[in-house]
Amino acid sequence: MTTPKRALITGVTGQDGSYLSELLLEQGYEVHGIIRRTSTFNTDRIDHIYEDPHQEGARLFLHYGDLTDGTTLRRVLEAVQPVEIYNLGAQSHVRVSFDCPEYTVDAVGMGTLRILEAIRDYQHRTGIQVRFYQAGSSEMFGLVQEVPQRETTPFYPRSPYACAKVYAHWQTVNYRESYGLFACNGILFNHESPRRGETFVTRKITRALARIVAGQQKKLYMGNLDAKRDWGYAKDYVKAMWLMLQQEAPDDYVVATGETHSIREFLDIAFGYVNLNWQDYVEFDERYLRPAEVDLLIGDPAKAKTQLGWEPSVTFEQLVHLMVEADLKGMGLVPLNGHSVQPVIDTATLRPTVLSSLP
Ligand code: NAP
Ligand code: F7E
C-alpha cells in the first residue's frame, strides 16, 4: 500500500481551506489543517468531510495553532512532515484591516515569514523538499498601474491587508531565490461561493436578499457600489493553487476570469433573480466605506491558462445565481417558476443580527 501524500493547510476552516481540503482528499492526500482555538466552534465549512481520527482510514486531521505563534507552526510542521503547505490563513477582510492593522499585518505578513523560516530550517535539516503555496491577492494591485493586471504589473497596495500581502509575496519570492524553496505565489482575484464569509460584499448581498425574502430584514446597508471586481468561483480557484504545486518549477500566477463587474451589476442579477428591485431595499451607510478604495480590478489569467491548463468553469451570472439559490435554500425558501418569491415583512421574525450590521 502506498503512503498518501501529506498536505498542511493554514486557514483550513475558511472558504478556500474547505474547498481545497475537499479537492486534496479527492486526490488521495492526507490533509492536516491548522485551526484556532475559539470559544465557539467554527468548523462548519469542514464538518461534512471530517472523520473521527480514531477511525481507521481517517485522512483529515486538525491541529491547534495560529499564524502569530511561530513555535507552534514549527512544531506542527515537524509532526506532520507534509510535502505541500498551503498558506491560506489570514485576517482577510480589507475593511477590517483598517480597524486592526497591527494584527492583520502580523498574521498575514509575519505569519507567512514564520512559515517560510520553519520550512527553510526543516528542509535544511532533513533534506526533504516541502512545496509552499502563498495565498496572494489582487488587492496587491490596489491603485492599478495597468489594465488588465498580470504577473508583471507593479503593485500599489491600498490597505494594511494589501501591504501585508505584498510583503508576504516578496518574502516568498525571496525564499525561493535565496534558499531554493519550491515556493509559489498565487495572485488570486476575488472568488466567492455559498461558503463566502458573510460580510464580504457578494455574500452580504445574497444573504440579505434571502432574509428580505423571508421577512427577517427590511433594508440592506452598503458602501461604495461603483467598485468593480473580477469575481470567480472559489471551487475553481483552489484547483489553480494545487496545480501550481504540481509543476516542475515554482512560479507566480494570476488567477482570474478576465471579466469585471460592479457591485451594482451584482445587485441587479441577485435581486433580479427573485424579481425584486434592489433600489427598493439598499441604503447607503458610510461605515462600509474604506479610507482608501480599490476602484477597479480585472485580471489577465493567460499564464495560468497556458502553463497550468487552468480555466474558470462558472460565469459571473451563474456565480450570482448559485449564491442566491444557496442562501434562499438556507432560509428554507424555494424559488417558484420564474424565480418569484414575494417578500413578506413579518415583524415577529424581524431580527437585527451582529452579522447584518458589522463591516
Ligand atoms: P477566509 O474565509 O477569511 O478564511 C481565512 C482563514 O484563515 C480561516 O480559516 C481563519 O480561521 C484563518 N485565520 C485567520 N487568522 C488566523 C491566524 N491568526 N492564524 C491562523 N489562521 C487564521 O478567507 P478565504 O476567502 O478562504 O481566503 C483564503 C486566503 O486567500 C486568505 O489568505 C485570503 O487573504 C486570500 N485571498 C482570498 C481571496 C478571495 O477572494 N477569497 C482572494 C485573494 C486572496 P477562523 O475560521 O478561525 O477565522
Ligand atoms: O469588497 C465594496 C467594497 O469586502 C468588494 C477579500 O477576499 O477580495 C476580497 O477583498 C468591494 C469593495 O472584498 C460594501 O468597498 C460596497 O470595493 O467583498 P469585499 P475585497 O475588499 O475586494 C480580495 C481579492 C482579497 O484578497 C480579500 O481577502 O465591495 N462594498 N459596499 C462593500 N464591501 C463590503 N464588504 N461590504 C459592503 O457593505
Short mmCIF file of all heavy atoms in Angstrom, two decimals, residues 111-171:
data_model
loop_
_atom_site.label_atom_id
_atom_site.label_comp_id
_atom_site.label_asym_id
_atom_site.label_seq_id
_atom_site.Cartn_x
_atom_site.Cartn_y
_atom_site.Cartn_z
N GLY A 111 3.17 36.15 9.62
CA GLY A 111 2.73 34.75 9.63
C GLY A 111 3.37 33.98 8.48
O GLY A 111 3.85 32.84 8.64
N THR A 112 3.39 34.61 7.30
CA THR A 112 4.00 33.96 6.13
C THR A 112 5.50 33.78 6.35
O THR A 112 6.06 32.71 6.06
CB THR A 112 3.74 34.82 4.87
OG1 THR A 112 2.33 35.03 4.76
CG2 THR A 112 4.25 34.15 3.61
N LEU A 113 6.14 34.82 6.88
CA LEU A 113 7.58 34.71 7.14
C LEU A 113 7.87 33.59 8.14
O LEU A 113 8.84 32.83 7.97
CB LEU A 113 8.11 36.05 7.68
CG LEU A 113 9.60 36.07 7.99
CD1 LEU A 113 10.44 35.89 6.72
CD2 LEU A 113 10.00 37.36 8.69
N ARG A 114 7.02 33.46 9.16
CA ARG A 114 7.24 32.39 10.16
C ARG A 114 7.20 31.01 9.49
O ARG A 114 8.02 30.14 9.81
CB ARG A 114 6.16 32.48 11.26
CG ARG A 114 6.34 33.68 12.16
CD ARG A 114 5.27 33.74 13.26
NE ARG A 114 5.43 34.98 14.01
CZ ARG A 114 4.59 36.03 13.95
NH1 ARG A 114 3.49 35.97 13.22
NH2 ARG A 114 4.85 37.12 14.64
N ILE A 115 6.26 30.82 8.58
CA ILE A 115 6.18 29.51 7.91
C ILE A 115 7.40 29.31 7.00
O ILE A 115 8.00 28.23 6.99
CB ILE A 115 4.89 29.38 7.08
CG1 ILE A 115 3.68 29.50 7.99
CG2 ILE A 115 4.84 28.04 6.34
CD1 ILE A 115 2.37 29.34 7.26
N LEU A 116 7.76 30.35 6.26
CA LEU A 116 8.92 30.22 5.36
C LEU A 116 10.19 29.86 6.15
O LEU A 116 10.98 29.01 5.73
CB LEU A 116 9.13 31.52 4.58
CG LEU A 116 8.10 31.80 3.47
CD1 LEU A 116 8.19 33.26 3.00
CD2 LEU A 116 8.28 30.85 2.29
N GLU A 117 10.37 30.51 7.29
CA GLU A 117 11.54 30.23 8.13
C GLU A 117 11.50 28.79 8.65
O GLU A 117 12.52 28.10 8.67
CB GLU A 117 11.57 31.20 9.32
CG GLU A 117 12.25 32.51 9.01
CD GLU A 117 13.77 32.34 8.89
OE1 GLU A 117 14.47 32.45 9.91
OE2 GLU A 117 14.26 32.07 7.78
N ALA A 118 10.31 28.35 9.03
CA ALA A 118 10.18 26.98 9.54
C ALA A 118 10.51 25.98 8.43
O ALA A 118 11.23 24.99 8.66
CB ALA A 118 8.77 26.75 10.08
N ILE A 119 10.03 26.25 7.21
CA ILE A 119 10.31 25.34 6.09
C ILE A 119 11.80 25.33 5.78
O ILE A 119 12.41 24.28 5.55
CB ILE A 119 9.51 25.75 4.83
CG1 ILE A 119 8.01 25.65 5.06
CG2 ILE A 119 9.90 24.87 3.64
CD1 ILE A 119 7.17 26.18 3.90
N ARG A 120 12.38 26.53 5.77
CA ARG A 120 13.81 26.65 5.45
C ARG A 120 14.64 25.75 6.39
O ARG A 120 15.49 24.96 5.94
CB ARG A 120 14.21 28.11 5.62
CG ARG A 120 15.67 28.39 5.54
CD ARG A 120 15.92 29.82 5.97
NE ARG A 120 17.33 30.06 6.18
CZ ARG A 120 17.81 31.10 6.85
NH1 ARG A 120 17.00 32.00 7.37
NH2 ARG A 120 19.10 31.25 7.00
N ASP A 121 14.37 25.84 7.69
CA ASP A 121 15.14 25.05 8.66
C ASP A 121 14.84 23.56 8.52
O ASP A 121 15.74 22.72 8.59
CB ASP A 121 14.80 25.51 10.09
CG ASP A 121 15.37 26.90 10.37
OD1 ASP A 121 16.20 27.37 9.57
OD2 ASP A 121 14.96 27.51 11.37
N TYR A 122 13.56 23.25 8.30
CA TYR A 122 13.15 21.84 8.20
C TYR A 122 13.82 21.19 6.99
O TYR A 122 14.37 20.09 7.08
CB TYR A 122 11.63 21.79 8.08
CG TYR A 122 11.06 20.41 7.84
CD1 TYR A 122 10.92 19.51 8.88
CD2 TYR A 122 10.66 20.03 6.56
CE1 TYR A 122 10.39 18.24 8.65
CE2 TYR A 122 10.13 18.78 6.33
CZ TYR A 122 10.00 17.88 7.37
OH TYR A 122 9.48 16.65 7.14
N GLN A 123 13.80 21.91 5.85
CA GLN A 123 14.42 21.36 4.63
C GLN A 123 15.91 21.20 4.79
O GLN A 123 16.50 20.22 4.36
CB GLN A 123 14.16 22.32 3.45
CG GLN A 123 12.90 22.02 2.73
CD GLN A 123 12.79 22.69 1.36
OE1 GLN A 123 11.72 22.67 0.82
NE2 GLN A 123 13.84 23.24 0.79
N HIS A 124 16.52 22.19 5.43
CA HIS A 124 17.97 22.17 5.63
C HIS A 124 18.37 20.96 6.49
O HIS A 124 19.33 20.25 6.20
CB HIS A 124 18.40 23.47 6.30
CG HIS A 124 19.89 23.58 6.49
ND1 HIS A 124 20.75 23.80 5.45
CD2 HIS A 124 20.65 23.45 7.61
CE1 HIS A 124 21.99 23.82 5.91
NE2 HIS A 124 21.95 23.61 7.22
N ARG A 125 17.56 20.73 7.53
CA ARG A 125 17.90 19.64 8.47
C ARG A 125 17.59 18.26 7.90
O ARG A 125 18.38 17.32 8.05
CB ARG A 125 17.11 19.86 9.77
CG ARG A 125 17.52 18.94 10.92
CD ARG A 125 16.79 19.29 12.20
NE ARG A 125 15.36 19.26 12.09
CZ ARG A 125 14.62 18.17 12.00
NH1 ARG A 125 15.20 16.99 12.03
NH2 ARG A 125 13.31 18.23 11.90
N THR A 126 16.45 18.12 7.19
CA THR A 126 16.02 16.79 6.76
C THR A 126 16.38 16.48 5.30
O THR A 126 16.37 15.32 4.90
CB THR A 126 14.48 16.65 6.88
OG1 THR A 126 13.88 17.62 6.00
CG2 THR A 126 14.01 16.87 8.30
N GLY A 127 16.58 17.53 4.51
CA GLY A 127 16.82 17.32 3.07
C GLY A 127 15.52 17.02 2.32
O GLY A 127 15.55 16.72 1.13
N ILE A 128 14.38 17.10 3.00
CA ILE A 128 13.09 16.82 2.35
C ILE A 128 12.51 18.12 1.79
O ILE A 128 12.42 19.12 2.51
CB ILE A 128 12.08 16.20 3.37
CG1 ILE A 128 12.64 14.89 3.93
CG2 ILE A 128 10.71 15.98 2.72
CD1 ILE A 128 11.87 14.37 5.14
N GLN A 129 12.11 18.09 0.51
CA GLN A 129 11.53 19.30 -0.07
C GLN A 129 10.06 19.46 0.31
O GLN A 129 9.28 18.51 0.22
CB GLN A 129 11.64 19.26 -1.60
CG GLN A 129 11.24 20.60 -2.21
CD GLN A 129 11.16 20.54 -3.73
OE1 GLN A 129 10.38 19.80 -4.30
NE2 GLN A 129 11.99 21.34 -4.37
N VAL A 130 9.72 20.68 0.74
CA VAL A 130 8.32 21.00 1.06
C VAL A 130 7.88 22.07 0.06
O VAL A 130 8.49 23.13 -0.02
CB VAL A 130 8.18 21.56 2.49
CG1 VAL A 130 6.71 21.82 2.82
CG2 VAL A 130 8.80 20.63 3.51
N ARG A 131 6.84 21.79 -0.70
CA ARG A 131 6.34 22.78 -1.67
C ARG A 131 5.38 23.73 -0.95
O ARG A 131 4.55 23.29 -0.15
CB ARG A 131 5.65 22.07 -2.84
CG ARG A 131 6.65 21.22 -3.60
CD ARG A 131 6.08 20.61 -4.85
NE ARG A 131 7.18 19.99 -5.61
CZ ARG A 131 7.20 19.81 -6.91
NH1 ARG A 131 6.16 20.17 -7.64
NH2 ARG A 131 8.23 19.26 -7.52
N PHE A 132 5.51 25.03 -1.25
CA PHE A 132 4.78 26.05 -0.49
C PHE A 132 3.93 26.91 -1.41
O PHE A 132 4.41 27.43 -2.42
CB PHE A 132 5.79 26.93 0.26
CG PHE A 132 5.16 28.08 1.02
CD1 PHE A 132 4.42 27.86 2.17
CD2 PHE A 132 5.32 29.39 0.57
CE1 PHE A 132 3.85 28.93 2.87
CE2 PHE A 132 4.76 30.46 1.26
CZ PHE A 132 4.02 30.22 2.41
N TYR A 133 2.65 27.05 -1.04
CA TYR A 133 1.74 27.94 -1.78
C TYR A 133 1.39 29.14 -0.90
O TYR A 133 0.93 28.98 0.23
CB TYR A 133 0.43 27.22 -2.15
CG TYR A 133 -0.57 28.18 -2.74
CD1 TYR A 133 -0.50 28.55 -4.09
CD2 TYR A 133 -1.56 28.79 -1.94
CE1 TYR A 133 -1.38 29.48 -4.62
CE2 TYR A 133 -2.44 29.72 -2.47
CZ TYR A 133 -2.34 30.06 -3.81
OH TYR A 133 -3.20 30.99 -4.33
N GLN A 134 1.59 30.34 -1.44
CA GLN A 134 1.23 31.56 -0.71
C GLN A 134 -0.01 32.18 -1.35
O GLN A 134 -0.04 32.45 -2.55
CB GLN A 134 2.40 32.56 -0.72
CG GLN A 134 2.06 33.97 -0.30
CD GLN A 134 1.40 34.06 1.09
OE1 GLN A 134 1.47 33.14 1.89
NE2 GLN A 134 0.71 35.16 1.35
N ALA A 135 -1.02 32.44 -0.50
CA ALA A 135 -2.30 32.99 -0.98
C ALA A 135 -2.19 34.49 -1.18
O ALA A 135 -2.56 35.29 -0.33
CB ALA A 135 -3.41 32.66 0.02
N GLY A 136 -1.67 34.87 -2.33
CA GLY A 136 -1.58 36.29 -2.68
C GLY A 136 -2.92 36.79 -3.20
O GLY A 136 -3.82 36.00 -3.48
N SER A 137 -3.00 38.12 -3.36
CA SER A 137 -4.30 38.71 -3.65
C SER A 137 -4.21 39.82 -4.70
O SER A 137 -3.24 40.59 -4.74
CB SER A 137 -4.85 39.30 -2.35
OG SER A 137 -5.92 40.18 -2.62
N SER A 138 -5.28 39.96 -5.48
CA SER A 138 -5.38 41.06 -6.45
C SER A 138 -5.40 42.41 -5.74
O SER A 138 -5.11 43.44 -6.37
CB SER A 138 -6.66 40.91 -7.27
OG SER A 138 -7.78 40.76 -6.42
N GLU A 139 -5.71 42.41 -4.42
CA GLU A 139 -5.66 43.66 -3.66
C GLU A 139 -4.26 44.27 -3.70
O GLU A 139 -4.10 45.47 -3.49
CB GLU A 139 -6.07 43.41 -2.21
CG GLU A 139 -7.56 43.29 -1.99
CD GLU A 139 -8.31 44.60 -2.25
OE1 GLU A 139 -7.99 45.60 -1.59
OE2 GLU A 139 -9.21 44.61 -3.09
N MET A 140 -3.25 43.48 -3.99
CA MET A 140 -1.88 43.99 -4.06
C MET A 140 -1.74 44.99 -5.21
O MET A 140 -0.89 45.86 -5.18
CB MET A 140 -0.88 42.83 -4.25
CG MET A 140 -0.91 41.85 -3.09
SD MET A 140 0.40 40.60 -3.13
CE MET A 140 0.02 39.65 -4.58
N PHE A 141 -2.61 44.89 -6.22
CA PHE A 141 -2.55 45.83 -7.35
C PHE A 141 -3.17 47.18 -6.99
O PHE A 141 -2.83 48.20 -7.59
CB PHE A 141 -3.24 45.24 -8.59
CG PHE A 141 -2.57 44.02 -9.12
CD1 PHE A 141 -3.25 42.81 -9.22
CD2 PHE A 141 -1.24 44.06 -9.53
CE1 PHE A 141 -2.63 41.67 -9.72
CE2 PHE A 141 -0.60 42.92 -10.03
CZ PHE A 141 -1.31 41.72 -10.13
N GLY A 142 -4.11 47.16 -6.05
CA GLY A 142 -4.69 48.37 -5.45
C GLY A 142 -5.04 49.47 -6.44
O GLY A 142 -6.02 49.37 -7.18
N LEU A 143 -4.25 50.53 -6.43
CA LEU A 143 -4.44 51.62 -7.39
C LEU A 143 -3.77 51.16 -8.69
O LEU A 143 -2.56 51.32 -8.87
CB LEU A 143 -3.78 52.89 -6.86
CG LEU A 143 -3.99 54.18 -7.67
CD1 LEU A 143 -5.46 54.55 -7.74
CD2 LEU A 143 -3.22 55.32 -7.03
N VAL A 144 -4.58 50.58 -9.56
CA VAL A 144 -3.98 49.77 -10.62
C VAL A 144 -3.10 50.56 -11.57
O VAL A 144 -3.44 51.66 -11.99
CB VAL A 144 -5.02 48.95 -11.41
CG1 VAL A 144 -5.72 47.96 -10.50
CG2 VAL A 144 -6.03 49.83 -12.12
N GLN A 145 -1.97 49.96 -11.91
CA GLN A 145 -0.96 50.60 -12.76
C GLN A 145 -1.07 50.12 -14.21
O GLN A 145 -0.35 50.59 -15.08
CB GLN A 145 0.44 50.28 -12.22
CG GLN A 145 0.66 50.72 -10.78
CD GLN A 145 0.61 52.23 -10.63
OE1 GLN A 145 1.44 52.92 -11.18
NE2 GLN A 145 -0.38 52.74 -9.90
N GLU A 146 -1.97 49.15 -14.44
CA GLU A 146 -2.10 48.57 -15.78
C GLU A 146 -3.44 47.84 -15.83
O GLU A 146 -3.89 47.30 -14.82
CB GLU A 146 -0.97 47.55 -15.98
CG GLU A 146 -0.85 46.99 -17.36
CD GLU A 146 0.31 45.97 -17.46
OE1 GLU A 146 0.76 45.43 -16.42
OE2 GLU A 146 0.74 45.72 -18.58
N VAL A 147 -4.08 47.85 -16.99
CA VAL A 147 -5.36 47.15 -17.17
C VAL A 147 -5.27 46.25 -18.40
O VAL A 147 -4.97 46.76 -19.48
CB VAL A 147 -6.52 48.16 -17.35
CG1 VAL A 147 -7.83 47.43 -17.60
CG2 VAL A 147 -6.65 49.07 -16.14
N PRO A 148 -5.51 44.94 -18.30
CA PRO A 148 -5.76 44.19 -17.08
C PRO A 148 -4.46 43.95 -16.30
O PRO A 148 -3.37 44.18 -16.82
CB PRO A 148 -6.34 42.87 -17.62
CG PRO A 148 -5.69 42.70 -18.96
CD PRO A 148 -5.52 44.09 -19.52
N GLN A 149 -4.63 43.45 -15.06
CA GLN A 149 -3.44 43.21 -14.23
C GLN A 149 -2.91 41.80 -14.50
O GLN A 149 -3.68 40.85 -14.59
CB GLN A 149 -3.78 43.36 -12.74
CG GLN A 149 -4.22 44.76 -12.34
CD GLN A 149 -5.70 45.02 -12.59
OE1 GLN A 149 -6.52 44.24 -12.13
NE2 GLN A 149 -6.05 46.08 -13.30
N ARG A 150 -1.59 41.72 -14.64
CA ARG A 150 -0.94 40.43 -14.86
C ARG A 150 0.23 40.28 -13.89
O ARG A 150 0.44 41.15 -13.03
CB ARG A 150 -0.48 40.29 -16.31
CG ARG A 150 0.18 41.53 -16.90
CD ARG A 150 0.59 41.30 -18.35
NE ARG A 150 -0.54 41.27 -19.24
CZ ARG A 150 -1.04 42.33 -19.89
NH1 ARG A 150 -0.48 43.52 -19.75
NH2 ARG A 150 -2.08 42.23 -20.69
N GLU A 151 1.00 39.20 -14.03
CA GLU A 151 2.06 38.88 -13.07
C GLU A 151 3.10 40.00 -12.99
O GLU A 151 3.74 40.20 -11.95
CB GLU A 151 2.75 37.56 -13.44
CG GLU A 151 1.90 36.31 -13.26
CD GLU A 151 0.86 36.11 -14.39
OE1 GLU A 151 0.86 36.87 -15.37
OE2 GLU A 151 0.05 35.18 -14.26
N THR A 152 3.29 40.72 -14.11
CA THR A 152 4.34 41.74 -14.16
C THR A 152 3.83 43.14 -13.79
O THR A 152 4.62 44.09 -13.75
CB THR A 152 4.92 41.79 -15.59
OG1 THR A 152 3.83 41.88 -16.51
CG2 THR A 152 5.76 40.57 -15.90
N THR A 153 2.55 43.29 -13.54
CA THR A 153 2.00 44.60 -13.20
C THR A 153 2.53 45.03 -11.82
O THR A 153 2.46 44.26 -10.87
CB THR A 153 0.45 44.54 -13.16
OG1 THR A 153 -0.01 44.06 -14.42
CG2 THR A 153 -0.16 45.89 -12.85
N PRO A 154 3.05 46.27 -11.72
CA PRO A 154 3.57 46.71 -10.40
C PRO A 154 2.45 46.77 -9.35
O PRO A 154 1.32 47.12 -9.67
CB PRO A 154 4.11 48.12 -10.69
CG PRO A 154 4.26 48.22 -12.16
CD PRO A 154 3.26 47.29 -12.78
N PHE A 155 2.82 46.44 -8.12
CA PHE A 155 1.85 46.50 -7.02
C PHE A 155 1.72 47.94 -6.51
O PHE A 155 2.67 48.72 -6.57
CB PHE A 155 2.30 45.62 -5.85
CG PHE A 155 2.36 44.15 -6.19
CD1 PHE A 155 3.42 43.36 -5.73
CD2 PHE A 155 1.37 43.54 -6.93
CE1 PHE A 155 3.49 42.00 -6.02
CE2 PHE A 155 1.43 42.17 -7.23
CZ PHE A 155 2.50 41.42 -6.78
N TYR A 156 0.53 48.27 -5.99
CA TYR A 156 0.28 49.58 -5.36
C TYR A 156 -0.80 49.36 -4.29
O TYR A 156 -1.96 49.72 -4.48
CB TYR A 156 -0.20 50.59 -6.41
CG TYR A 156 -0.14 52.05 -5.99
CD1 TYR A 156 0.34 53.01 -6.87
CD2 TYR A 156 -0.60 52.47 -4.74
CE1 TYR A 156 0.37 54.36 -6.52
CE2 TYR A 156 -0.56 53.81 -4.38
CZ TYR A 156 -0.08 54.75 -5.27
OH TYR A 156 -0.04 56.08 -4.91
N PRO A 157 -0.41 48.70 -3.17
CA PRO A 157 -1.40 48.29 -2.17
C PRO A 157 -2.06 49.48 -1.49
O PRO A 157 -1.41 50.50 -1.26
CB PRO A 157 -0.58 47.47 -1.19
CG PRO A 157 0.82 47.96 -1.34
CD PRO A 157 0.97 48.35 -2.78
N ARG A 158 -3.36 49.34 -1.14
CA ARG A 158 -4.11 50.46 -0.58
C ARG A 158 -4.79 50.15 0.75
O ARG A 158 -5.79 50.79 1.10
CB ARG A 158 -5.19 50.91 -1.57
CG ARG A 158 -4.64 51.33 -2.90
CD ARG A 158 -5.57 52.30 -3.58
NE ARG A 158 -5.28 53.66 -3.19
CZ ARG A 158 -6.12 54.69 -3.38
NH1 ARG A 158 -7.31 54.48 -3.89
NH2 ARG A 158 -5.78 55.91 -3.03
N SER A 159 -4.30 49.14 1.47
CA SER A 159 -4.86 48.84 2.79
C SER A 159 -3.78 48.11 3.59
O SER A 159 -2.85 47.55 3.01
CB SER A 159 -6.08 47.92 2.66
OG SER A 159 -5.69 46.68 2.08
N PRO A 160 -3.94 48.07 4.92
CA PRO A 160 -2.97 47.29 5.71
C PRO A 160 -2.93 45.83 5.24
O PRO A 160 -1.86 45.21 5.18
CB PRO A 160 -3.51 47.41 7.14
CG PRO A 160 -4.23 48.73 7.14
CD PRO A 160 -4.86 48.84 5.78
N TYR A 161 -4.09 45.29 4.91
CA TYR A 161 -4.16 43.91 4.41
C TYR A 161 -3.31 43.75 3.15
O TYR A 161 -2.48 42.83 3.04
CB TYR A 161 -5.63 43.56 4.11
CG TYR A 161 -5.82 42.29 3.30
CD1 TYR A 161 -5.74 41.03 3.90
CD2 TYR A 161 -6.08 42.34 1.93
CE1 TYR A 161 -5.92 39.87 3.15
CE2 TYR A 161 -6.26 41.19 1.18
CZ TYR A 161 -6.18 39.96 1.80
OH TYR A 161 -6.35 38.81 1.06
N ALA A 162 -3.52 44.65 2.19
CA ALA A 162 -2.81 44.54 0.91
C ALA A 162 -1.30 44.75 1.09
O ALA A 162 -0.49 44.07 0.44
CB ALA A 162 -3.39 45.53 -0.09
N CYS A 163 -0.93 45.70 1.97
CA CYS A 163 0.52 45.92 2.23
C CYS A 163 1.14 44.64 2.79
O CYS A 163 2.26 44.26 2.40
CB CYS A 163 0.72 47.06 3.22
SG CYS A 163 0.31 48.68 2.55
N ALA A 164 0.42 43.98 3.69
CA ALA A 164 0.94 42.74 4.29
C ALA A 164 1.05 41.63 3.24
O ALA A 164 1.99 40.84 3.25
CB ALA A 164 0.05 42.30 5.44
N LYS A 165 0.09 41.59 2.32
CA LYS A 165 0.14 40.56 1.26
C LYS A 165 1.32 40.82 0.32
O LYS A 165 1.95 39.88 -0.17
CB LYS A 165 -1.17 40.54 0.47
CG LYS A 165 -2.32 39.84 1.19
CD LYS A 165 -2.17 38.32 1.24
CE LYS A 165 -3.37 37.66 1.88
NZ LYS A 165 -3.20 36.21 2.13
N VAL A 166 1.62 42.11 0.06
CA VAL A 166 2.77 42.42 -0.79
C VAL A 166 4.07 41.95 -0.10
O VAL A 166 4.94 41.35 -0.72
CB VAL A 166 2.83 43.93 -1.13
CG1 VAL A 166 4.15 44.29 -1.82
CG2 VAL A 166 1.65 44.33 -2.00
N TYR A 167 4.14 42.21 1.20
CA TYR A 167 5.31 41.76 1.98
C TYR A 167 5.45 40.23 1.88
O TYR A 167 6.53 39.69 1.60
CB TYR A 167 5.14 42.20 3.44
CG TYR A 167 6.20 41.65 4.36
CD1 TYR A 167 7.44 42.27 4.47
CD2 TYR A 167 5.95 40.50 5.11
CE1 TYR A 167 8.42 41.75 5.31
CE2 TYR A 167 6.92 39.98 5.95
CZ TYR A 167 8.15 40.60 6.04
OH TYR A 167 9.12 40.08 6.86
N ALA A 168 4.33 39.55 2.09
CA ALA A 168 4.35 38.07 2.05
C ALA A 168 4.74 37.58 0.65
O ALA A 168 5.47 36.59 0.51
CB ALA A 168 2.98 37.52 2.44
N HIS A 169 4.25 38.28 -0.36
CA HIS A 169 4.58 37.91 -1.74
C HIS A 169 6.09 37.96 -1.96
O HIS A 169 6.71 37.00 -2.43
CB HIS A 169 3.87 38.87 -2.72
CG HIS A 169 4.25 38.67 -4.16
ND1 HIS A 169 3.50 37.92 -5.03
CD2 HIS A 169 5.32 39.11 -4.88
CE1 HIS A 169 4.08 37.91 -6.22
NE2 HIS A 169 5.18 38.63 -6.16
N TRP A 170 6.69 39.09 -1.59
CA TRP A 170 8.12 39.25 -1.88
C TRP A 170 8.99 38.36 -1.00
O TRP A 170 10.06 37.91 -1.42
CB TRP A 170 8.53 40.73 -1.79
CG TRP A 170 8.06 41.48 -3.00
CD1 TRP A 170 7.13 42.48 -3.05
CD2 TRP A 170 8.48 41.27 -4.37
NE1 TRP A 170 6.93 42.90 -4.34
CE2 TRP A 170 7.76 42.18 -5.18
CE3 TRP A 170 9.37 40.40 -4.98
CZ2 TRP A 170 7.90 42.24 -6.57
CZ3 TRP A 170 9.53 40.46 -6.36
CH2 TRP A 170 8.80 41.37 -7.14
N GLN A 171 8.52 38.08 0.22
CA GLN A 171 9.29 37.12 1.04
C GLN A 171 9.25 35.74 0.40
O GLN A 171 10.23 35.01 0.42
CB GLN A 171 8.73 37.05 2.48
CG GLN A 171 9.11 38.22 3.35
CD GLN A 171 10.62 38.29 3.66
OE1 GLN A 171 11.46 37.74 2.94
NE2 GLN A 171 10.96 39.02 4.71
#
